[in-house]
């Protein structure tokens, strides 16, 4: 190193500059060699080592400048295989190259587009693939330029995807559409490649097949990411928008899913892809976007590129590197000699050190290249591992999300069960308390019943004893009265106790006081009875024993009464407790009743407010409808004075039908108004629908009245205009009454009906009077025309058979074969037309029978005159076409006519039969069997006409002689002269063809003009506009002039 520092700075600077230039030259040369080896005309796949060197070159210079500087000079228009390999290398460079490659490719978009357009116009197998591949590359460049968040390799995390999509639904929608377009381009390229190949296992190992299959590796890598991002964005869209709005997105995704699954399956079955790429497997069915939890079931498809075996360098590369390494010291020595002069034959140590250092540098550079290759290989392995780990993480995250959803559902279920358990526990407690109360009440009732029975028994014993005592004390009147009084008192007391027991002991406390007082009185009476008995002993000794016995009995009775008093006291305590408990329950029930009454009052207030809100909303809807109807009517009234409306015309018949429909709509409007008023403004649906229909029909009547007045006499026109204006004004006045709540209930439609009656009267006056005169003629004309058409077709068939026999007699060989083929196809066409005419006649009879009602056939034809005239016109056209076809065939067979006349007649017959079918279908029922047979006959006629055209063209090709075009004997000057003469003839024929086309256009224009003028003069009718459906608020269309020959699509009889 010291010796290197001792070299003069001027020498070092020169050596350093030369080294950089040499390195740059070596880099350019290696890039040129790699590009030339990767992009060539050999039908073999691009070698990975050459593509890798080109990609490393983009990272070395941080862009694709060198790549494009060599790519522009490639002769892409000369070889489709060269262009195909160029697209493959450019795809790899975009995916794996430096990020700045995208900006460099953006500048060369025009070159890519020109290459694709060039090969797209040529019918070459590789050329078609190149055209599709260039569209894919342009789409890829545009997408990544517009969305720089997505690298060209399409590897972004879900967070970046969410951030790029944002929260705006419009941005998400647009990004989803762009991803669908991107994926369509990728799938279209894969389908085009597989369409050109035989996808057997043996063919995939051929070099020519691998040349086409090699770019599909990058397509598989792109499609896996695009599919994952599309699924994510579709779930996000379905969380923001209704499902019906995204029906088109779902259909497009399902179609791409099926195509992508088919692509992955075909690629997985090929040996070529099995050793180069690990293709993911898609689910059997696409994700269900209508179920949000299905996002957790989605698995991100991960593409894995296996580790590649190291490839040996080619001998040519080794020679080039050695040449460059041997030339570099020579150039360095030349510069040193120019600076210091030639050496004296003795080499300096510093030169040896410099050479050794250069060798070390070369060795280090080679090692660095190996390290780079190993690092690139290691990076690829790490990417594969990262992709697999990302797939596992994504799977774990989805499982976690699914578990969270399941946990949330289980938590809700647990809460619901807990609430149900609490309710059941509460009800069980209430039931237990009710059972306890019932048992206690039953026990109390049993005890009271027992006490009552004991009192009754005691009362009976006392009655018996009192009777005995009364017999014994008959001697003394006073003692008998006292015993009777006691007896009455005891009976009264027993009756009171019985009533108290039956009344469930309600007044026990008061009765206990009475019993105490009565017992005290009874004691006094017993004392008096004892005194009376002692006086009685003096009167009769024989009664003393009986009095003593009675005294003893009285003592026993006193003890029993005292015991009863104790029992009554205990019962009184129980009764007081029961009353206290009952009072508490009554207070609680009172509080609950007050709370329920408050809630009920609040509910009633809410219902009243909601009812009032509903009424206001119904009235608001009605007002919006009234304002829209006013706008429609004002617009129709404004058409009366609009100068642009002067050219619009209509017929009195159509005006009559519109005015009649408007008059009928007033009944529905009146019913809706009555229903709205009867429901106290709670139901405005019927009124709103009837009002929309009335506004449209009234506006249609006014507009068609104005259009009818343009063809009416002056007096009738002025009256019709004023009547239409009056209709509009009366309708606006009625709508004004509907806008006022005070006048809404009294709004009437009498003036509106009167104005519509005036319009109907004027329309009736303006109807043409000649229809009644031509009823019989018009009906007979239809039958005559259909019969004449059938006769013309029968005559045509006979003439064709005659021409067939004549051609067999007069011609032979190829001419006979051509004539027979043409006449046979014409015969088949005539038979098909005859069957169609017969089916049309049957359908016409069915229409007349189902639609005429009580009217005659002539009246039905007269009432539907335009439809009848359409049938007549179509029948005439079919008969004339059949006649012309026979005449043209006759001339062609006799070689006096042209084959083109026969082709034109076939087209004319197909058009005439189509007109007849259209005229017959106008009034037919959709479920009619004759209509189905007529449509089948129409298709058969079209097929037979096509057979006539095909047989005519093939016969023309057989008959006409072809020139051999042998120019081998011509000289250069004569060839040039013939070429110029041929160009002159081509120009003359093109000019003549252009003139004939202009003439044809003028003839058709004149035909349409005469047809329109004839119809305006004869009928002056406008094609009726369809009646608008209820609830569709659109302004009525202007009346337009109908075209000639189109049958009238009126409502029938």
């Amino acid at each position: 190193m010291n010796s290197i520092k001792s070299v003069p700075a001027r020498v070092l600077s020169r050596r350093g500059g030369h080294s950089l230039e040499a390195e740059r030259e070596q880099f350019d040369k290696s890039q040129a060699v790699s590009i030339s080896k990767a992009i060539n005309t050999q039908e073999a796949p691009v070698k990975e080592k050459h593509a890798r060197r080109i990609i490393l070159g983009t990272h070395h210079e941080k862009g694709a400048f060198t790549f494009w500087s060599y790519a522009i000079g490639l002769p892409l228009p000369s070889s489709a295989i060269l262009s195909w390999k160029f697209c493959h290398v450019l795809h790899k460079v975009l995916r794996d190259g430096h990020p700045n490659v995208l900006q460099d490719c953006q500048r060369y978009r025009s070159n890519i587009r020109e290459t694709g357009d060039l090969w797209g116009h040529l019918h070459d197998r590789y050329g078609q693939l190149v055209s599709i591949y260039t569209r894919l590359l342009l789409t890829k460049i545009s997408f990544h330029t517009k969305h720089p968040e997505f690298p060209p390799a399409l590897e972004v995390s879900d967070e970046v995807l969410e951030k790029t999509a944002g929260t705006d639904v419009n941005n998400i929608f647009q990004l989803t559409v762009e991803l669908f377009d991107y994926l369509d381009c990728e799938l279209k390229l894969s389908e085009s490649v597989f369409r050109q190949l035989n996808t057997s296992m043996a063919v995939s190992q051929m070099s020519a097949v691998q040349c086409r299959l090699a770019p599909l590796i990058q397509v598989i890598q792109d499609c896996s990411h695009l599919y994952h991002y599309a699924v994510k964005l579709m779930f996000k869209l379905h969380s923001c928008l209704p499902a019906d709005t995204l029906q088109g997105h779902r259909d497009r995704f399902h179609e791409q899913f099926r195509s992508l699954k088919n692509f992955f399956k075909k690629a997985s079955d090929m040996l070529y892809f099995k050793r180069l790429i690990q293709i993911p497997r898609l689910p059997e069915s696409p994700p269900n976007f209508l179920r949000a939890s299905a996002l957790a079931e989605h698995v991100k498809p991960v593409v894995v590129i296996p580790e590649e075996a190291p490839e040996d360098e080619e001998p040519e590369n080794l020679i080039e590197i050695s040449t460059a390494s041997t030339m570099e010291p020579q150039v360095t020595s030349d510069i040193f000699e120019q600076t210091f002069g030639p050496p004296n034959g003795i080499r300096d140590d510093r030169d040896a050190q410099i050479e050794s250092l250069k060798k070390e540098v070369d060795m280090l550079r080679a090692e660095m290249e190996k390290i780079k290759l190993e690092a690139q290989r290691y990076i690829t392995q790490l990417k594969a591992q990262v992709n697999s780990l990302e797939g596992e993480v994504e799977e774990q995250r989805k499982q976690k999300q699914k578990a969270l959803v399941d946990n949330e559902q289980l938590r809700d279920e647990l809460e619901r069960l807990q609430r149900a358990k609490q309710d059941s526990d509460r009800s069980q407690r209430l039931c237990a308390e009710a059972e306890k109360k019932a048992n206690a009440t039953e026990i109390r009732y049993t005890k009271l019943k027992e006490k009552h029975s004991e009192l009754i028994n005691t009362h009976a014993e006392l009655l018996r004893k009192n009777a005995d005592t009364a017999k014994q004390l008959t001697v003394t009147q006073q003692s008998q009265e006292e015993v009777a009084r006691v007896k009455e008192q005891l009976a009264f007391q027993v009756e009171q106790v019985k009533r108290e027991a039956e009344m469930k002991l309600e007044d026990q406390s008061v009765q206990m006081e009475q019993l105490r007082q009565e017992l005290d009185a009874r004691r006094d009476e017993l004392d008096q009875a004892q005194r009376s008995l002692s006086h009685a002993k003096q009167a009769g000794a024989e009664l003393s024993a009986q009095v003593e016995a009675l005294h003893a009995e009285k003592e026993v009775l006193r003890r029993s009464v005292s015991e009863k008093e104790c029992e009554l006291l205990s019962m009184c305590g129980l009764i007081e407790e029961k009353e206290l408990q009952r009072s508490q329950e009554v207070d609680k029930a009172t509080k609950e009743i007050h709370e329920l009454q408050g809630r009920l009052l609040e509910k009633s207030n809410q219902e009243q407010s909601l009812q009032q809100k509903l009424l206001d909303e119904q009235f608001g809807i009605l007002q919006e409808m009234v304002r829209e109807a006013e706008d429609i009517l004002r617009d129709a009234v404004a058409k009366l004075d609009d100068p642009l409306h002067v050219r619009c015309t209509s017929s009195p018949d159509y005006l009559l039908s519109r005015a009649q429909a408007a008059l009928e709509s007033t009944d529905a409007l009146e019913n809706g108004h009555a229903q709205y008023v009867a429901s106290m403004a709670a139901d405005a649906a019927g009124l709103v629908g009837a009002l929309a229909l009335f506004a449209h029909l009234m506006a249609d009547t006014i507009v068609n009245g104005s259009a009818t007045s343009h063809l009416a006499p002056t007096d009738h026109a002025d009256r019709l205009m004023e009547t239409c204006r009056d209709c509009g004004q009366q309708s606006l006045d009625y709508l004004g009454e509907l806008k006022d709540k005070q006048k809404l209930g009294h709004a009437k439609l009498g003036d509106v009906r009167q104005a519509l009656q005036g319009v109907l009267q004027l329309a009736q006056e303006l109807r043409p009077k000649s229809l009644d005169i031509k009823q019989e003629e018009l009906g007979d004309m239809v039958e005559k025309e259909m019969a004449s058409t059938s006769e013309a077709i029968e005559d045509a068939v006979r003439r064709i058979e005659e021409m067939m026999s004549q051609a067999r007699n007069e011609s032979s060989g190829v001419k006979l074969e051509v004539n027979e083929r043409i006449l046979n196809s014409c015969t088949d066409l005539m038979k098909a037309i005859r069957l169609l005419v017969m089916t049309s006649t049957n359908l016409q009879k069915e229409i007349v029978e189902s639609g005429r009602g009580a009217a005659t056939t002539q009246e039905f034809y007269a009432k539907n005159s335009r439809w009848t005239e359409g049938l007549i016109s179509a029948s005439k056209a079919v008969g004339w076409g059949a006649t012309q076809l026979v005449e043209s065939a006759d001339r062609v067979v006799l070689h006096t006519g042209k084959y083109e006349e026969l082709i034109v007649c076939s087209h004319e017959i197909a058009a005439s039969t189509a007109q007849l079918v259209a005229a017959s279908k106008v009034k037919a029922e959709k479920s009619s069997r004759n209509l189905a047979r007529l449509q089948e006959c129409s298709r058969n006629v079209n097929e037979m006409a096509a057979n006539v055209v095909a047989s005519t063209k093939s016969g023309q090709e057989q008959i006409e002689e072809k020139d051999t075009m042998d120019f081998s004997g011509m000289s250069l000057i004569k060839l040039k002269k013939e070429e110029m003469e041929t160009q002159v003839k081509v120009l003359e024929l093109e000019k003549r063809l252009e003139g004939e086309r202009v003439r044809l256009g003028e003839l058709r224009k004149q035909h349409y003009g005469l047809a329109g003028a004839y119809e305006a003069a004869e009928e002056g009718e406008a094609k009726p506009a369809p009646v608008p459906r209820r609830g569709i608020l659109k302004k009525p269309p202007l009346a337009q002039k109908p075209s000639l020959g189109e049958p009238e699509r009126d409502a029938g009889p």
Side-chain angles (χ1 to χ4, degrees):
M1 296 299 293
N2 295 331
S3 62
I4 293 175
K5 289 183 180 180
S6 62
V7 177
R10 181 166 57 89
V11 177
L12 288 177
S13 62
R14 291 183 180 180
R15 290 181 178 181
H18 178 73
S19 178
L20 292 175
E21 292 176 359
E23 184 178 355
R24 178 63 187 179
E25 183 179 354
Q26 179 66 21
F27 171 76
D28 293 342
K29 188 174 182 180
S30 64
Q31 286 291 300
V33 171
S34 299
I35 292 172
S36 62
K37 290 184 178 181
I39 305 174
N40 52 40
T41 57
Q42 296 179 1
E43 194 172 4
V46 177
K47 289 189 177 181
E48 188 63 28
K49 61 182 179 181
H50 301 318
R52 189 187 305 117
R53 287 171 185 168
I54 297 172
I55 293 169
L56 291 176
T58 61
H59 287 280
H60 181 268
E61 67 173 354
K62 296 181 175 57
F65 177 78
T66 303
F67 171 76
W68 278 107
S69 63
Y70 287 105
I72 291 176
L74 294 173
L76 299 180
S78 63
S79 173
I81 299 176
L82 188 69
S83 302
W84 173 252
K85 287 190 171 184
F86 164 73
C87 294
H88 182 196
V89 174
L90 180 58
H91 196 174
K92 294 177 71 70
V93 169
L94 278 172
R95 278 189 54 85
D96 303 328
H98 194 270
N100 294 335
V101 171
L102 184 62
Q103 285 76 16
D104 294 338
C105 294
Q106 179 70 19
R107 292 193 291 268
Y108 293 96
R109 284 173 55 89
S110 59
N111 300 81
I112 302 173
R113 184 181 295 106
E114 289 175 0
T115 302
D117 293 341
L118 171 66
W119 289 108
H121 295 305
L122 301 177
H123 298 286
D124 184 82
R125 296 175 65 84
Y126 270 104
Q128 298 299 322
L129 296 178
V130 170
S131 177
I132 298 172
Y133 209 162
T134 53
R135 284 198 292 271
L136 169 60
L137 294 175
L138 292 173
T139 303
K140 185 179 185 69
I141 294 171
S142 301
F143 178 82
H144 294 292
T145 304
K146 184 178 180 180
H147 302 284
E149 299 87 359
F150 290 91
L154 288 169
E155 294 180 357
V156 295
S157 61
D158 292 342
E159 291 77 9
V160 176
L161 179 64
E162 292 287 338
K163 183 178 179 182
T164 304
T167 57
D168 189 1
V169 180
N170 296 325
N171 293 339
I172 302 174
F173 194 91
Q174 182 63 28
L175 182 58
T176 308
V177 172
E178 293 176 0
L179 285 176
F180 283 164
D181 296 339
Y182 198 165
L183 188 56
D184 279 338
C185 294
E186 301 274 0
L187 294 175
K188 187 175 182 181
L189 178 61
S190 64
E191 291 172 358
S192 301
V193 171
F194 281 119
R195 196 181 300 117
Q196 292 188 9
L197 296 179
N198 180 12
T199 56
S200 62
M201 303 298 290
V203 174
S204 64
Q205 301 300 316
M206 296 175 60
S207 177
V209 176
Q210 292 179 0
C211 182
R212 290 184 174 90
L213 293 177
L216 297 186
I217 297 176
Q218 285 71 42
V219 174
I220 294 172
Q221 292 175 322
D222 290 345
C223 288
S224 63
H225 295 292
L226 292 174
Y227 167 76
H228 175 64
Y229 302 150
V231 171
K232 288 284 188 180
L233 293 179
M234 284 291 289
F235 274 109
K236 191 166 186 178
L237 275 178
H238 279 76
S239 64
C240 303
L241 295 175
D244 295 339
T245 306
L246 300 173
Q247 182 62 41
H249 272 47
R250 287 197 300 275
D251 295 341
R252 187 175 182 185
F253 178 82
H254 291 164
E255 184 178 354
Q256 290 182 346
F257 176 82
R258 290 190 295 271
S259 179
L260 183 60
K261 186 176 180 63
N262 188 24
F263 169 40
F264 281 3
K265 185 177 182 303
K266 287 182 179 180
S268 301
D269 296 338
M270 303 185 74
L271 291 176
Y272 175 71
F273 290 109
K274 288 184 179 180
R275 64 182 182 84
L276 294 178
I277 186 170
Q278 183 178 346
I279 302 173
R281 298 181 64 86
L282 295 181
E284 294 298 329
S285 59
N288 185 5
F289 300 112
L290 302 179
R291 183 167 56 89
S293 59
L295 178 60
E297 302 172 1
H298 169 65
V299 179
K300 178 182 179 181
V302 179
V303 177
V304 179
I305 303 296
E307 182 179 359
E308 299 175 358
E311 298 179 349
D312 296 333
E313 297 292 335
E314 297 181 356
E316 184 180 354
N317 291 340
L318 292 175
I319 295 171
E320 291 175 354
I321 293 173
S322 62
T323 305
S325 60
T326 54
M327 288 179 64
E328 185 176 355
Q330 183 179 358
V331 173
T332 305
S333 61
D334 292 340
I335 296 172
F336 187 81
E337 289 177 359
Q338 291 176 1
T339 306
F340 297 99
N344 295 325
I346 302 173
R347 300 186 63 182
D348 195 359
D349 295 338
R350 291 174 294 181
D351 295 334
Q353 291 179 0
I354 290 171
E355 290 179 359
S356 63
L357 290 174
K358 286 182 179 180
K359 292 179 180 179
E360 290 178 2
V361 168
D362 294 336
M363 293 173 61
L364 291 174
R365 186 175 295 152
E367 291 179 0
M368 186 174 65
E369 289 294 332
K370 293 181 180 179
I371 291 172
K372 283 183 180 180
L373 293 175
E374 293 177 358
Q376 186 68 23
R377 191 177 299 109
Y378 183 65
I379 288 171
T380 305
Q381 295 175 1
L382 290 178
K383 282 184 179 179
Q385 294 178 3
V386 167
N387 290 334
S388 61
L389 292 175
E390 284 181 354
E392 294 176 0
V393 170
E394 184 69 18
E395 181 71 20
Q396 295 293 332
R397 188 183 67 78
K398 290 173 182 176
Q399 293 180 0
K400 179 182 177 182
Q401 185 176 359
K402 186 177 180 181
L404 290 174
V405 173
D406 297 339
N407 189 15
E408 188 67 23
Q409 294 177 354
L410 293 174
R411 188 180 292 109
D412 295 340
E413 185 70 19
L414 181 60
E415 292 178 357
R416 187 177 62 79
L417 293 175
Q418 288 178 353
R419 288 196 296 270
K421 183 179 179 182
Q422 292 175 0
D423 295 338
S424 62
D425 294 341
R426 190 181 300 108
S427 60
Q428 289 178 0
R429 287 197 299 272
L430 293 175
C431 291
E433 291 177 359
E435 289 178 357
K436 290 178 181 178
K437 291 179 181 179
N439 294 330
T441 305
E442 187 175 0
I443 292 171
R444 293 193 199 99
Y445 177 72
T446 305
K447 290 181 179 180
L448 290 174
K449 188 175 181 181
E450 291 175 356
K451 297 297 180 183
H452 177 65
S453 61
E454 289 177 0
L455 288 174
I456 291 174
N457 294 330
T458 305
H459 175 62
E461 292 176 358
L462 290 174
L463 288 175
R464 286 192 298 271
K465 290 179 180 180
N466 285 331
D468 294 338
T469 304
K471 291 178 181 179
Q472 294 174 2
L473 296 179
T474 54
V475 180
T476 307
Q477 184 67 30
Q478 185 177 3
S479 62
Q480 287 180 355
E481 292 177 357
E482 291 177 355
V483 171
R485 190 184 306 111
V486 171
K487 178 181 176 181
E488 291 176 356
Q489 290 177 354
L490 289 175
F492 178 75
Q493 291 175 0
V494 170
E495 289 294 331
Q496 284 183 347
V497 171
K498 184 177 180 180
R499 286 194 302 269
E500 289 172 358
E502 291 177 355
M503 294 296 291
K504 295 182 180 180
L505 303 176
E506 292 180 356
D507 299 326
Q508 292 292 333
S509 60
V510 179
Q511 292 177 3
M512 288 296 295
E513 290 292 332
Q514 292 178 357
L515 288 174
R516 290 191 189 96
Q517 293 177 1
E518 290 174 357
L519 288 174
D520 292 338
R522 196 162 44 185
R523 289 190 188 97
D524 296 338
E525 291 174 355
L526 288 173
D527 292 338
Q528 291 178 2
Q530 287 178 0
R531 286 193 297 272
S532 65
L533 286 174
S534 63
H535 291 302
K537 284 179 182 179
Q538 297 176 2
E542 63 278 4
L543 295 175
S544 59
Q546 297 178 357
V547 172
E548 290 178 357
L550 182 61
H551 182 70
E553 290 177 0
K554 290 289 183 183
E555 290 295 333
V556 173
L557 183 61
R558 186 183 296 110
R559 286 194 297 271
S560 64
V561 169
S562 62
E563 291 176 359
K564 297 297 181 183
E565 286 180 354
C566 294
E567 292 177 358
L568 289 174
L569 288 174
S570 63
M571 291 174 65
C572 184
L574 292 173
I575 291 170
E576 289 179 355
E577 291 178 359
K578 185 67 175 179
E579 289 179 351
L580 180 61
Q581 185 178 1
R582 186 184 301 167
S583 64
Q584 291 177 355
E585 291 178 356
V586 169
D587 293 339
K588 184 177 180 182
T590 305
K591 291 181 181 178
E592 291 179 355
I593 289 171
H594 288 314
E595 290 179 358
L596 292 175
Q597 287 178 351
R599 293 179 182 176
L600 181 61
L601 181 61
E602 184 179 356
K603 282 282 187 182
S604 62
N605 294 333
Q606 290 180 357
E607 288 180 358
Q608 290 178 359
S609 62
L610 291 175
Q611 186 69 20
Q612 185 63 34
K613 185 177 180 181
L614 178 61
L615 294 177
D616 294 339
E617 289 179 354
Q618 291 284 334
F619 186 73
I621 293 171
L622 178 60
Q623 296 308 305
E624 290 293 333
M625 185 64 247
V626 169
R627 282 192 288 271
E628 184 68 21
E630 286 180 345
D631 293 340
I632 293 173
L633 289 174
R634 288 195 183 96
D635 182 72
V637 172
K639 292 289 190 301
L640 298 175
D641 300 325
D642 190 357
L644 298 177
H645 192 255
V646 175
R647 299 182 61 185
C648 296
T649 60
S650 182
S651 65
D653 291 332
Y654 186 62
L655 174 61
L656 192 64
S657 65
R658 295 294 87 201
Q660 186 65 35
L663 186 61
E664 292 174 358
S665 68
T666 56
D667 297 333
L669 180 59
E670 190 172 14
N671 294 333
H673 180 263
Q675 182 182 0
Y676 178 74
V677 174
S679 63
M680 301 300 292
D683 185 11
L687 181 57
V688 169
L691 196 58
L693 180 61
F694 168 74
H696 281 289
L697 291 176
M698 182 59 75
D700 199 7
T701 301
I702 294 171
V703 172
N704 282 280
S706 175
T708 304
S709 67
H710 297 157
L711 294 178
T714 305
D715 185 21
H716 287 79
D718 295 339
R719 287 168 55 196
L720 185 57
M721 290 286 285
E722 290 301 325
T723 306
C724 292
R725 200 182 307 276
D726 185 46
C727 281
Q729 187 60 41
Q730 295 297 336
S731 301
L732 290 174
D733 294 342
Y734 173 74
L735 294 176
E737 292 178 357
L738 292 182
K739 292 172 67 176
D740 191 358
K741 284 188 177 182
Q742 303 297 329
K743 299 180 181 180
L744 191 145
H746 306 287
K748 301 296 181 182
L749 285 167
D751 296 337
V752 178
R753 287 196 179 98
Q754 185 176 359
L756 284 173
Q757 290 291 347
V759 175
L760 285 171
Q761 183 178 358
L762 288 173
Q764 192 68 30
E765 293 176 1
L766 290 173
R767 290 185 66 190
K769 308 301 181 183
S770 60
L771 292 178
D772 297 334
I773 302 173
K774 298 181 180 179
Q775 285 183 359
E776 298 180 357
E777 298 179 1
L778 197 60
D780 296 337
M781 190 179 298
V782 174
E783 298 177 357
K784 291 179 181 178
E785 287 299 331
M786 296 300 289
S788 63
T789 302
S790 300
E791 292 176 359
I793 294 172
E794 293 290 342
D795 185 42
V797 171
R798 288 194 299 271
R799 290 185 60 187
I800 291 174
E801 291 177 355
E802 293 175 359
M803 285 188 288
M804 180 76 74
S805 61
Q806 183 180 359
R808 288 171 180 170
N809 296 329
E810 296 180 357
S811 59
S812 61
V814 178
K815 293 184 179 181
L816 177 59
E817 180 184 354
V818 171
N819 293 336
E820 286 182 349
R821 192 186 310 132
I822 293 175
L823 293 176
N824 286 331
S825 60
C826 291
T827 303
D828 294 339
L829 177 59
M830 288 300 140
K831 292 180 180 179
I833 295 173
R834 180 173 57 187
L835 181 60
L836 182 137
V837 172
M838 294 172 60
T839 308
S840 176
T841 305
N842 295 332
L843 180 60
Q844 174 190 345
K845 292 179 180 179
E846 178 184 340
I847 293 170
V848 173
E849 291 299 326
S850 63
R852 67 186 180 90
T856 62
T857 304
Q858 287 76 11
E859 291 175 353
F860 177 81
Y861 283 127
K863 187 174 182 179
N864 301 275
S865 58
R866 292 200 58 193
W867 176 70
T868 306
E869 292 174 0
L871 283 176
I872 294 171
S873 177
S875 300
K876 289 181 178 179
V878 172
W880 178 82
T883 304
Q884 292 297 320
L885 178 67
V886 173
E887 294 177 357
S888 299
D890 191 10
R891 288 195 294 269
V892 168
V893 171
L894 298 176
H895 304 289
T896 59
K898 298 180 179 179
Y899 289 94
E900 287 78 7
E901 294 179 0
L902 197 58
I903 295 173
V904 172
C905 288
S906 300
H907 291 317
E908 187 65 27
I909 285 180
S912 301
T913 53
Q915 181 183 357
L916 181 60
V917 171
S920 301
K921 284 172 58 179
V922 170
K923 293 186 176 296
E925 297 290 338
K926 291 184 178 179
S927 60
S928 175
R929 294 183 178 178
N930 287 326
L931 177 59
R933 286 196 291 270
L934 181 63
Q935 292 174 345
E936 183 65 27
C937 291
S938 177
R939 288 191 289 269
N940 191 19
V941 168
N942 291 333
E943 292 178 2
M944 294 300 105
N947 290 338
V948 171
V949 174
S951 61
T952 303
K953 289 183 177 180
S954 62
Q956 184 180 8
E957 291 176 357
Q958 283 183 304
I959 295 298
E960 292 179 352
E961 296 181 356
K962 301 292 184 178
D963 294 334
T964 57
M965 294 185 183
D966 186 11
F967 305 117
S968 58
M970 293 186 180
S971 63
L972 180 61
I973 301 299
K974 192 170 183 180
L975 282 172
K976 189 64 176 178
K977 183 178 179 181
E978 288 292 333
E979 180 183 354
M980 292 177 65
E981 290 177 355
T982 305
Q983 289 179 357
V984 170
K985 289 181 181 179
V986 168
L987 293 176
E988 289 176 353
L989 291 175
E990 287 178 351
K991 185 176 181 181
R992 184 179 175 186
L993 175 61
E994 187 66 27
E996 292 297 328
R997 285 177 175 171
V998 172
R999 185 170 179 269
L1000 177 61
E1002 293 296 330
L1003 288 173
R1004 288 178 176 174
K1005 187 186 299 183
Q1006 185 66 19
H1007 172 72
Y1008 296 151
L1010 292 175
Y1014 170 77
E1015 185 172 355
E1018 293 294 329
E1019 299 176 4
E1021 294 184 357
K1023 185 177 180 181
V1027 178
R1029 284 188 267 176
R1030 290 175 178 263
I1032 303 177
L1033 303 180
K1034 291 185 178 179
K1035 297 182 178 180
L1038 297 177
Q1040 299 295 332
K1041 183 180 293 184
S1043 61
L1044 183 64
E1046 184 176 351
E1048 181 182 10
R1049 298 177 182 268
D1050 53 10

